[in-house]
Amino acid sequence: MPDTRAPKNGAEIESAKDRLARLEAELIEAQRVIADLRDRDVLKTQFLSNISHDLRTPLTAIITHAEILREGILGEVSPKQRESISVIITGGRQLLDMIAEILMHARDSSEPLTLVESEFSIHEVVDQVTALNESLVARKGLTLERCLAADIPRIRADRDKIIHVLTNLLGNAFEFTPGGGRVWLNARMSPENPGNLVLVEVGDTGRGIAPDHHELIFREFAQVDSSASRAHHGTGLGLTIARRFVELHGGRIWVESELGCGSRFFFTLPVRGSAQ
Amino acid sequence: MTARVLLVEDSPMISSGLKALLESAGFDVTVATTATEAAAWGGMTGPSVMLLDINLPDGDGLTVIGALAARGLKPLTTYAMTGHTDSTTRARCIAAGCEDVLLKPVPVRQLLRIVSEAVA
């Protein structure tokens, strides 16, 4: 077979050497920029983590002192004053929830999240989460229904993270459903894989989500209404974190909804843990 | 005899509120702002209840339990207080001898009930 490689003359070799040298210099510069960006990302995450922690302390103090005032421990307060103090407490607790979300997101970005798995009953977890929300449900005049199939076995998962997902989905349902509305939580074995997949649904009769926003709401910092005057405020991280937690378990999360027709959020969870 | 509460909390903004709250219910409250200060508790016996922030400027708050125990002054009941009650933190606190872990800010009625029940 003839040798197709043509002999290079001196000028071509010099030119190739120059190009190689340029490429090597560009590679070194790109590596330097990447390293610099990584350093900045670590700094940003550290800053977020520190600032979130430092925000919690004065907020904890504000809430604690406001509760002491509301309870009349330092002297009697009038019903109007009590009402006003209650707003301080509610606002403070909302801020704390948002800070917790930012902190969780910052941690997730700086170090890979791991699961701390244990065996538990989904019924117990649902009991715990719904009990925590009883007063909110009553205050908003909502109806909370739950239907858990008896054949769901004990599951192996990260209990805290599952509680977080349920709390987030229920919290959204309560927030976006007007008074008199209905919120439900159903769990059963998934028809797709009845041997090893639990299917959980959190639904509501609230204002619903347009289909072209179904993916957007799971993206970080995304809000369907991102204007400063929007009626509902939050970090835009709640569903991102929920999706992250569900996917860490090997499950899937999605929404079925139309504007004006309520929303149904679903997620699946393998019964036997993420490492099966 | 008045029950003695050792409140270990590094933020004066928080401890001033909790001190006022517990004193209003008749408890004798001592505030420590560091693990070292808490471990130097000056009573002849251990406190009835210790409310322990686990993140302190000089280190892990849970070391206070062992330090007091070594001096024969272990609190009758210890509750950890923290900003996040994940399973790992909870397990660490329970293993160190805490009765339970309270998520800050602890609702004031809940805190009064817990401390009252602990000394009953």
Side-chain angles (χ1 to χ4, degrees), chain A residues 118-127 148 152-155 159:
Chain A
S118 61
E119 204 178 285
F120 59 89
S121 147
I122 196 95
H123 293 69
E124 287 166 15
V125 165
V126 169
D127 282 346
L148 307 177
I152 305 175
R154 288 173 72 79
I155 62 169
R159 189 186 168 109

Side-chain angles (χ1 to χ4, degrees), chain A residues 25-39:
Chain A
E26 283 173 13
L27 181 64
I28 289 166
E29 175 59 12
Q31 283 169 336
R32 192 194 61 74
V33 170
I34 289 169
D36 187 40
L37 286 173
R38 283 203 180 119
D39 287 349

Side-chain angles (χ1 to χ4, degrees), chain B residues 10-89:
Chain B
D10 65 314
S11 162
M13 283 192 293
I14 296 173
S15 62
S16 63
L18 295 182
K19 187 172 193 288
L21 171 76
L22 294 165
E23 284 179 345
S24 78
F27 298 109
D28 177 1
V29 182
T30 302
V31 175
T33 57
T34 60
T36 311
E37 206 181 313
W41 162 264
M44 297 294 287
T45 57
S48 306
V49 179
M50 175 160 71
L51 298 172
L52 180 65
D53 183 351
I54 61 172
N55 295 311
L56 294 169
D58 56 345
D60 183 0
L62 291 174
T63 58
V64 175
I65 302 174
L68 286 175
R71 295 174 54 219
L73 299 171
K74 190 178 175 191
L76 295 178
T77 311
T78 297
Y79 282 94
M81 297 192 299
T82 169
H84 43 91
T85 58
D86 55 275
S87 302
T88 314
T89 305

